[in-house]
Amino acid sequence: MATPAAPSSSLPPTLSSTEQQQQQQPPLATTQQQQPSSSSSSSSSPLSPPSSILIIGSGVFGLTTAYALSRRHDFANTTITVVDRADPSNPDVFPAPDAASVDTSRIIRADYPDAAYAALAAEAQLQWRQQTHPDDLGSEGRYSESGLLVVADGPAPPPGTPVVTENTVIDKTKLTGMDYARFSWANVLSIASSDPELVARIKECPNPEAIKAALGTGGSSGSWGYINGLSGWANAGASMAWLYKRVKAEGRIKFVAGEVTNLEVSGGNTVTGARLADGRVLSADLVMVSTGAWTGRLVDLTGQAVATGQVLGYIDLTPEEEAQLAHMPVILNLSTGLFVIPPKNGVLKIARHAYGYLNPTTLPIPPLASSVTTPAAAVSLPLTTLSDPTLQIPTEGADDLRRALHEMVPLPSLRDRPFSKTRICWYSDTPTADFIIDYHPEYKGLFVATGDSGHAFKFMPVIGEKIADVIAGQCPPEFVGKWNWRYPAGDAAIKAVITEDGSRGGVPGLILSTELRASVGVAN
């Protein structure tokens, strides 16, 4: 059955004529994308709405999907339940302190080499910019349009060098940081091309001197880049609280606090619900698993996605130091993965978007198996301060963050100042950084939304509607082949998932426990 048009997943934005033109402008229509083959076609087949849906996980994917479904006429008779180990009604524990959708800041950008993601992010930005009323998403400090300085290392192209031609084919598994930066530049220019004023806010920085001038901190990074004044950053924790308030106001969604240990299966291939750690069983006709980096606990994702840990550091600033950096943009080096977000409330954040740390874990209850892949003996799962309150980032990561600070924000007073706090943020990484949003091809009644790959938060205003479309059997055409369930080629038991989309720094395959032991040795 066809799915009728659904209301927006947030307050309907009031768009200027310029913004309407911007939203309608397709980015780089002639640019193609090479896509991996898909093993599932379920996302293109219309579905009769189930009588009940259980959504496991109340992060960005889970909560926005619950909201979108609750507002659709076709799902008016569907009961919707959201279960999470963090109780949304308790602001002290929601979002979970170790979840990816928490923290003081996340980059909001349409700067993508993939035209489909660039367009979707630009659509989301229209709602992030809404700040007319206190309950608009971007109000009350939830969104700051500071600008984003995108840079990369390596030989810089001569000024005026064309980025793409009508025959350009982008293979996202073989991009360098420079490729990512330049294709992103072309896409954001295309999105803004309908308005000269918008185009004027996107400026090339063809050399380190231009990058230094655009950054305004006295520092620099990379050999080529551009600054996009249309991008910025959001307060992630405050935005999730805003979202929960809106979801709760619908009055249709039941929230259950509890830790899911495994999925319930009947008849060998039908998922009927989820079992909690306290023995309760929640049943539903359709179960959606949207647990981010924890998804591998419940569903075998061998060769498709892996949990990776990313390092973040925070430094306290004096009012004078914060004033010095008040007008800096976000800076992101796509070759090293290192980035800095402008300070807020006396705190400066430095982070690394890298290949990340792995944390191989043997599970007492194995995840839902597949007949196609051979599950690994141990699954990489998050290790956080909730399970180890003394956890600090490894010295390897801390040293890299310190290098970013010295390079990008070289204030003498900050050079040796210790981090006031550090954190490991966990991604669910896929090989191409595409999300996995699809029905499981082997189990009836099971839908999976994961593979955030460290870049999903910015889509919060729009991603729930897109996931709801896939649930209804109407995957957006531009994401068919990108979001599908994909079994890996070759021996899945030994196939490592490494995100090679051109945006990562660091070294692939680092084991967290090994790096933590090395850190103890350095400290001693």
Side-chain angles (χ1 to χ4, degrees):
M1 61 182 293
T3 304
S8 168
S9 57
S10 71
L11 281 176
T14 302
L15 307 182
S16 66
S17 59
T18 294
E19 288 175 321
Q20 290 172 346
Q21 291 173 348
Q22 178 184 351
Q23 187 177 35
Q24 295 166 359
Q25 177 67 31
L28 284 184
T30 56
T31 301
Q32 303 173 42
Q33 299 283 348
Q34 288 185 346
Q35 295 301 327
S37 59
S38 168
S39 298
S40 172
S41 59
S42 56
S43 58
S44 60
S45 304
L47 173 81
S48 296
S51 62
S52 56
I53 294 178
L54 173 64
I55 298 175
I56 306 174
S58 61
V60 168
F61 282 178
L63 208 53
T64 60
T65 302
Y67 184 58
L69 292 174
S70 73
R71 305 183 73 198
R72 293 198 170 196
H73 175 73
D74 279 10
F75 290 82
N77 296 319
T78 300
T79 61
I80 304 170
T81 302
V82 175
V83 59
D84 197 294
R85 57 198 171 93
D87 182 359
S89 65
N90 184 348
D92 293 331
V93 299
F94 177 81
D98 56 354
S101 53
V102 73
D103 195 16
T104 56
S105 51
R106 287 289 182 272
I107 300 174
I108 305 299
R109 60 182 172 96
D111 304 78
Y112 279 90
D114 185 314
Y117 285 99
L120 187 62
E123 180 183 343
Q125 283 182 312
L126 295 178
Q127 295 192 45
W128 283 110
R129 294 189 184 111
Q130 297 304 305
Q131 299 178 331
T132 303
H133 305 290
D135 59 351
D136 285 340
L137 174 55
S139 293
E140 299 183 331
R142 286 183 288 267
Y143 176 67
S144 300
E145 196 152 277
S146 61
L148 170 64
L149 181 56
V150 177
V151 302
D153 300 328
T161 301
V163 178
V164 297
T165 67
E166 62 181 13
N167 296 320
T168 298
V169 175
I170 300 175
D171 182 353
K172 292 198 299 183
T173 65
K174 297 180 180 179
L175 295 184
T176 65
M178 185 66 75
D179 292 333
Y180 193 113
R182 287 184 61 76
F183 286 130
S184 297
W185 180 45
N187 274 338
V188 293
L189 282 174
S190 179
I191 291 171
S193 63
S194 62
D195 190 325
E197 292 184 7
L198 297 180
V199 172
R201 296 180 64 186
I202 304 169
K203 298 179 180 178
E204 182 181 10
C205 299
N207 52 54
E209 292 74 24
I211 293 171
K212 182 177 181 179
L215 182 55
T217 64
S220 186
S221 182
S223 58
W224 181 92
Y226 69 91
I227 185 165
N228 182 1
L230 303 172
S231 293
W233 62 276
N235 183 322
S239 299
M240 288 299 293
W242 175 93
L243 174 61
Y244 171 69
K245 181 179 178 181
R246 301 183 70 78
V247 174
K248 191 69 174 177
E250 288 296 305
R252 283 206 53 211
I253 299 163
K254 178 183 178 182
F255 288 90
V256 175
E259 182 179 356
V260 175
T261 58
N262 61 279
L263 301 178
E264 293 286 293
V265 179
S266 174
N269 69 340
T270 300
V271 173
T272 59
R275 182 174 294 273
L276 307 188
D278 61 10
R280 287 178 294 167
V281 174
L282 304 177
S283 299
D285 292 337
L286 177 63
V287 175
M288 170 174 154
V289 178
S290 51
T291 49
W294 284 263
T295 304
R297 285 185 58 190
L298 303 177
V299 181
D300 178 23
L301 296 174
T302 301
Q304 293 197 80
V306 66
T308 65
Q310 314 290 331
V311 293
L312 289 70
Y314 306 81
I315 290 182
D316 289 339
L317 304 181
T318 66
E320 293 75 20
E321 291 164 343
E322 183 169 359
Q324 282 183 268
L325 304 176
H327 302 293
M328 70 171 288
V330 177
I331 177 170
L332 168 62
N333 187 316
L334 289 164
S335 298
T336 65
L338 294 166
F339 63 93
V340 177
I341 292 180
K344 187 77 172 181
N345 298 326
V347 179
L348 182 70
K349 175 180 170 181
I350 309 100
R352 184 178 66 183
H353 183 67
Y355 294 107
Y357 303 116
L358 302 176
N359 183 43
T361 305
T362 302
L363 297 173
I365 302 176
L368 199 63
S370 164
S371 64
V372 177
T373 58
T374 304
V379 177
S380 180
L381 291 175
L383 175 65
T384 75
T385 54
L386 288 188
S387 53
D388 181 2
T390 66
L391 181 65
Q392 299 289 324
I393 64 173
T395 298
E396 176 275 335
D399 289 346
D400 219 13
L401 297 187
R402 185 67 59 179
R403 179 168 67 89
L405 179 69
H406 293 169
E407 181 180 66
M408 298 174 176
V409 189
L411 298 187
S413 59
L414 301 183
R415 183 169 183 84
D416 298 315
R417 185 172 300 173
F419 294 115
S420 56
K421 183 178 74 170
T422 63
R423 178 172 180 252
I424 299 178
C425 177
W426 289 89
Y427 295 175
S428 173
D429 271 340
T430 67
T432 59
D434 287 306
F435 307 148
I436 300 172
I437 301 174
D438 200 0
Y439 286 94
H440 196 292
E442 297 181 62
Y443 290 91
K444 299 175 183 178
L446 178 59
F447 187 90
V448 178
T450 190
D452 60 88
S453 301
H455 69 99
F457 182 84
K458 66 181 67 64
F459 299 104
M460 190 184 83
V462 296
I463 193 64
E465 287 295 337
K466 303 304 180 183
I467 297 174
D469 284 343
V470 181
I471 289 174
Q474 301 295 330
C475 182
E478 65 272 24
F479 291 107
V480 171
K482 299 178 191 287
W483 290 353
N484 293 58
W485 186 274
R486 294 181 296 275
Y487 286 120
D491 188 348
I494 60 173
K495 182 177 177 62
V497 173
I498 300 175
T499 304
E500 295 282 12
D501 68 337
S503 70
R504 302 305 179 97
V507 178
L510 294 180
I511 303 300
L512 179 58
S513 59
T514 302
E515 296 304 317
L516 289 173
R517 285 194 296 270
S519 301
V520 173
V522 170
N524 293 336

